[in-house]
Amino acid sequence: MDIVGFLKSQFICHLLICYIFIVSGLIINFIQLFTLILWPINKQLFRRINCRLAYCISSQMVMLLEWWSGTDCTLYTDPESYHKYGKENAIVILNHNFEIDFLCGWNFCERFGVLGSSKVLAKKELSYMPIIGWMWYFLEIVFCKRKWEEDRKTVMQKLLNLRDYPENFWFLIHCEGTRFTEQKHQISMQVAEAKGLPKLKYHLLPRTKGFAVTVQCLRNVVSAVYDSTLNFRNNENPTLLGVLNGKKYHADLYFLLFTVGRRIPLEEVPEDEQECSNWLHKLYQEKDAFQEEYYRTGTYPAVPIVPPRRPWTLLNWLFWALLLLYPLFKLLINMINSGSSLTLASFAFVIVMASVGVRWMIGVTEINKGSTYGNNDNKQKQK
């Protein structure tokens, strides 16, 4: 291991990175709170400012993937469609198999200039999480309780609010509703059999209602649907902890932009909810075939393109590092010079609590600590 790799694996480096992320994130959340006064005066200005503030937070996560771990991200797509990415509103359908698939989604949003304005359909519990959850609140992210009878009205209203959004955005959606595990897959395929639907080998049965409502509410605002399938070479099993340790991964994303021939405008996605549901089920059968092809050949049937890294994620992180590390080191030196055992013990306690907090934040992304949604929910539907 070289000296750089050794330093990346050290816990003290991880603490400093997390210190910068947590403190800068809370500062930005505090600034976002004050932007609320703009909402009744100039809603579009409020939105533009919060896109930039949100970028300051989410780009730090992307910096870890791009610059700290040096993960390679290759895009497989149609070259004729490549120039459209980032220049139009789009619904992006993502598979949900890896602990860092959300981070890879953000990475491609960053490379096409829509990271600050990107939207997701997220579970309600995340809205209470400091920094990311609070950032999402000011970005008008669509939160749901995963109980469709309760969610439908709220989700529709949130989506309709995005119709006049002033920035180009990608609406990222995991139609499977939860991260893939063998247990969830087994239960999901039991439901597929009960409903007479073709079984999937590498995906869970898609939850079609959320997608259908998204298409319905964003029609004439969103130009296209992007189907994306993420994989990692050499059977890599990427984790956020691995990224934090500076481990390099190799991500391949198959990005299919639908329109005539190769691409279907959103207007051609069926408006009827049942027909839209059938369309999505067919799409997931095609995704499964692409996944099978990837496992067999190690590549996708499209042209590989590596979108260039932009410097802004690194520059943003360096700005916050310079701003926040100086007072931290100055405080630490003063504490050591004071010689007070109580002060040093207090500092050690803060370090321990910080390490626990860091581990908790990382644990949120771990597959074995994921939600039970999909384990019991489908069973209940079969009864």
Side-chain angles (χ1 to χ4, degrees):
M1 180 185 294
D2 59 17
I3 185 65
V4 175
F6 174 76
L7 289 174
K8 288 180 177 180
S9 67
Q10 298 307 297
F11 184 66
I12 186 64
C13 290
H14 303 166
L15 275 182
L16 291 176
I17 289 172
C18 292
Y19 160 77
I20 294 167
F21 177 74
I22 292 171
V23 175
S24 66
L26 292 174
I27 290 172
I28 293 166
N29 285 162
F30 188 69
I31 295 172
Q32 288 181 304
L33 184 63
F34 281 93
T35 65
L36 285 173
I37 62 175
L38 292 173
W39 181 266
I41 302 170
N42 191 329
K43 182 171 70 172
Q44 302 299 45
L45 178 60
F46 166 89
R47 287 168 158 176
R48 292 184 187 277
I49 290 174
N50 274 284
C51 283
R52 274 74 186 167
L53 291 173
Y55 181 86
C56 292
I57 295 176
S58 53
S59 67
Q60 293 187 50
M61 300 286 289
V62 174
M63 185 282 299
L64 285 178
L65 187 72
E66 287 189 329
W67 297 94
W68 182 258
S69 80
T71 292
D72 291 329
C73 295
T74 303
L75 183 67
Y76 291 78
T77 190
D78 176 9
E80 294 182 3
S81 301
Y82 181 80
H83 73 278
K84 298 179 184 292
Y85 301 146
K87 298 179 181 178
E88 63 181 0
N89 295 334
I91 297 171
V92 183
I93 299 175
L94 300 156
N95 60 326
H96 205 6
N97 296 64
F98 305 99
E99 290 184 9
I100 65 166
D101 47 20
F102 78 97
L103 192 52
C104 292
W106 277 5
N107 174 261
F108 283 98
C109 286
E110 156 59 21
R111 298 200 182 194
F112 293 105
V114 293
L115 176 61
S117 58
S118 63
K119 311 297 177 189
V120 295
L121 182 62
K123 56 185 178 182
K124 181 68 174 178
E125 294 85 347
L126 293 177
S127 66
Y128 305 116
M129 181 181 292
I131 305 176
I132 298 293
W134 296 349
M135 171 194 79
W136 277 351
Y137 173 81
F138 291 98
L139 274 182
E140 302 171 72
I141 293 302
V142 181
F143 293 106
C144 62
K145 298 178 181 178
R146 291 174 164 178
K147 296 179 180 178
W148 189 243
E149 295 75 16
E150 300 178 24
D151 285 331
R152 186 181 184 92
K153 184 177 179 180
T154 303
V155 169
M156 288 187 70
Q157 184 57 55
K158 291 288 187 180
L159 288 168
L160 290 172
N161 288 342
L162 298 178
R163 292 187 64 84
D164 63 344
Y165 208 78
E167 305 270 340
N168 286 337
F169 66 87
W170 287 1
F171 192 92
L172 312 178
I173 182 169
H174 296 286
C175 292
E176 294 162 272
T178 187
R179 189 176 279 122
F180 183 98
T181 66
E182 289 300 331
Q183 181 183 6
K184 292 175 182 178
H185 179 254
Q186 182 180 3
I187 296 171
S188 182
M189 291 308 98
Q190 290 173 0
V191 174
E193 184 175 3
K195 292 184 175 182
L197 295 169
K199 291 187 178 181
L200 304 173
K201 190 174 181 180
Y202 304 105
H203 298 84
L204 304 180
L205 204 64
R207 310 270 177 150
T208 60
K209 292 179 180 178
F211 175 76
V213 166
T214 301
V215 170
Q216 176 187 344
C217 293
L218 296 183
R219 193 173 292 277
N220 300 322
V221 174
V222 167
S223 301
V225 172
Y226 302 171
D227 173 39
S228 64
T229 303
L230 176 69
N231 275 297
F232 288 86
R233 297 175 202 167
N234 307 317
N235 294 318
E236 291 173 334
N237 185 25
T239 64
L240 188 55
L241 187 59
V243 171
L244 197 56
N245 279 315
K247 185 175 181 180
K248 184 174 183 176
Y249 298 108
H250 305 82
D252 289 333
L253 185 71
Y254 183 60
F255 222 48
L256 183 58
L257 179 55
F258 289 102
T259 101
V260 178
R262 261 305 265 186
R263 191 172 184 264
I264 303 172
L266 192 67
E267 292 78 9
E268 295 188 19
V269 178
E271 292 191 39
D272 178 76
E273 185 170 321
Q274 184 57 51
E275 291 181 5
C276 187
S277 173
N278 295 338
W279 184 91
L280 187 63
H281 282 300
K282 182 180 178 181
L283 175 66
Y284 266 78
Q285 293 163 31
E286 294 171 357
K287 285 172 73 71
D288 229 43
F290 286 131
Q291 193 83 316
E292 181 74 33
E293 177 73 9
Y294 184 86
Y295 285 137
R296 188 176 64 84
T297 65
T299 188
Y300 287 118
V303 177
I305 302 173
V306 179
R309 286 188 303 187
R310 306 193 315 161
W312 310 119
T313 57
L314 181 60
L315 292 175
N316 173 73
W317 186 84
L318 289 174
F319 166 78
W320 287 106
L322 292 172
L323 183 67
L324 298 175
L325 287 180
Y326 172 74
L328 175 66
F329 289 144
K330 186 176 180 179
L331 175 64
L332 181 58
I333 291 171
N334 290 337
M335 291 175 63
I336 294 174
N337 289 336
S338 72
S340 170
S341 57
L342 178 61
T343 301
L344 294 175
S346 300
F347 182 75
F349 175 76
V350 171
I351 292 295
V352 171
M353 293 305 296
S355 64
V356 171
V358 169
R359 193 64 190 86
W360 173 78
M361 292 178 70
I362 292 174
V364 172
T365 70
E366 294 178 350
I367 290 177
N368 61 355
K369 295 182 181 178
S371 72
T372 58
Y373 183 69
N375 287 339
N376 301 316
D377 185 51
N378 283 332
K379 286 181 180 179
Q380 294 172 357
K381 287 184 178 181
Q382 282 186 284
K383 292 179 180 180

